Amino acid sequence: MPAIDANGIPASEVRPYHVLITGFGPFSRYAVNPSWLAVKPLHNTVLTIDLLDETAIVDDQNPTAEANGFTQETREIYLSTLQVPVTYEDVLAIVPGLHARPPVLPPSADPDLPDIILPADGFDLIFHVGVAGRGPLRMERVGHKFGYNMKDATGSYAPIVRVTRDETSNSNRGQSEPSEMERMERARLSEYLIEPPVDGTEPPKRGFGKGYESFSEEIFTEIDVEKLVHHLKKSGVEQIYSSLDAGHYLCDFIYYCSLAESKRASGKADKLTTKVIFLHCPPVDQPLSTEEVTEAIKKSVIWLCGTAAKSVIPST
């Protein structure tokens, strides 16, 4: 009997994975954003995962498909890319459509790219990429709802959020000082300085308000980031680590928005959950080349889709 997946579909008939990878548009001194340089070459490419090999490596606690007499099968991964402007307004306008079924995407900002073939039942994975300062790759684990007090590429601030006294008290309770990474990021973005106090008062609270009231102040990805980073290190991507601080700027903003929209969609019975992850890359050759970042993205996508392929089991 042929192998089947967890839903009883013959493995040979299982549809390909559909993955959307986003990078950012021009920003500050970057006429072409380093994140887009790394993402663009992946547009409309197809990767293939070996279900036998991937099932064997993703979880040491599970018996391998080979041990169960599973015959080798493969599954394709269709990659699409999208450039997102570095503005709060555009993120709020674009991201909800990425999680729709079928997805709704804006016209491409890059005229060199062919149109995206949109999967009717949505993307399985949305992989966001943005640039940070010099250093290793950073795989982010969490997005933040508030704290966006820096101007975007057009000089605009994030929306002001009206919160109750109780919400303000809860958000301040146990609040820690900015991490060293966040301080470095804010220093790097010095031309987009944090909004100054007005008349000696605290700056207004900015971030996600209307439509996002029910979501928590932090949303963690459902992806096991530590396992992903461990796999990447084993596969030759040594300069990478996991992070809990996406920076409270556009990278953090798009990550929280995408995580929230994924949760919103998963609350509907007829919709699958789209996994969401965010990767920070350094400027080109500081120290990683564009090609090295692109390769790290590809390896990440293959591992993530291979993890999903654990559901492939032999029939009895």
Side-chain angles (χ1 to χ4, degrees):
M1 298 259 326
I4 60 173
D5 76 355
N7 297 313
I9 303 172
S12 59
E13 298 178 11
V14 174
R15 72 165 182 77
Y17 291 107
H18 290 276
V19 177
L20 177 67
I21 308 174
T22 75
F24 279 109
F27 159 70
S28 184
R29 64 182 181 276
Y30 302 119
V32 181
N33 198 299
S35 66
W36 183 240
L37 288 173
V39 167
K40 180 179 177 179
L42 297 173
H43 187 68
N44 276 6
T45 60
V46 179
L47 305 176
T48 302
I49 54 173
D50 184 324
L51 297 184
L52 174 59
D53 289 345
E54 289 298 327
T55 306
I57 66 172
V58 293
D59 191 339
D60 293 337
Q61 302 303 312
N62 286 344
T64 66
E66 186 177 26
N68 287 325
F70 179 61
T71 57
Q72 181 170 330
E73 296 283 353
T74 60
R75 190 166 177 180
E76 292 182 329
I77 309 170
Y78 292 178
L79 304 183
S80 302
T81 66
L82 177 70
Q83 183 183 121
V84 179
V86 187
T87 75
Y88 297 109
E89 181 180 16
D90 282 301
V91 168
L92 290 171
I94 291 171
V95 172
L98 307 185
H99 291 269
R101 286 176 166 77
V104 179
L105 275 64
S108 175
D110 193 322
D112 296 335
L113 296 184
D115 292 338
I116 296 174
I117 300 175
L118 300 175
D121 51 354
F123 293 106
D124 300 288
L125 169 68
I126 296 181
F127 196 119
H128 301 290
V129 184
V131 65
R134 179 184 182 89
L137 298 168
R138 288 161 39 197
M139 197 70 73
E140 302 293 345
R141 295 175 57 191
V142 59
H144 300 89
K145 188 174 188 177
F146 303 126
Y148 297 95
N149 295 317
M150 290 183 282
K151 294 178 181 179
D152 63 22
T154 64
S156 299
Y157 287 112
I160 293 176
V161 180
R162 307 297 180 186
V163 296
T164 66
R165 181 174 299 178
D166 287 343
E167 287 176 318
T168 302
S169 175
N170 290 336
S171 67
N172 291 333
R173 188 176 298 129
Q175 190 174 31
S176 60
E177 292 296 316
S179 68
E180 181 62 25
M181 185 59 66
E182 185 171 348
R183 285 193 289 267
M184 290 173 61
E185 278 296 282
R186 294 190 179 196
R188 182 178 69 87
L189 298 167
S190 57
E191 65 187 284
Y192 300 97
L193 289 175
I194 298 174
E195 188 171 9
V198 178
D199 298 329
T201 63
E202 289 296 315
K205 194 165 193 174
R206 294 184 181 274
F208 293 86
K210 186 176 181 180
Y212 294 88
E213 296 91 343
S214 63
F215 295 101
S216 61
E217 294 195 16
E218 294 182 338
I219 303 180
F220 283 79
T221 179
E222 294 181 356
I223 290 169
D224 191 329
V225 173
E226 296 299 334
K227 278 190 176 181
L228 172 56
V229 169
H230 177 69
H231 168 75
L232 291 172
K233 286 180 177 288
K234 286 178 59 178
S235 66
V237 183
E238 298 179 355
Q239 298 195 59
I240 186 169
Y241 65 93
S242 65
S243 166
L244 289 168
D245 183 4
H248 288 88
Y249 193 49
L250 266 298
C251 293
D252 207 341
F253 197 77
I254 197 173
Y255 198 22
Y256 182 92
C257 190
S258 196
L259 288 166
E261 293 300 334
S262 177
K263 283 186 172 290
R264 194 194 306 276
S266 68
K268 300 177 181 179
D270 62 336
K271 294 195 174 185
L272 303 173
T273 300
T274 298
K275 301 297 184 185
V276 178
I277 192 69
F278 190 98
L279 176 69
H280 264 124
C281 68
V284 179
D285 296 328
Q286 296 187 31
L288 299 172
S289 68
T290 294
E291 293 74 19
E292 287 175 311
V293 177
T294 302
E295 187 63 22
I297 295 169
K298 287 172 59 177
K299 288 182 176 181
S300 298
V301 168
I302 290 172
W303 187 88
L304 290 166
C305 292
T307 300
K310 284 195 299 182
S311 62
V312 176
I313 58 175
S315 61
T316 58

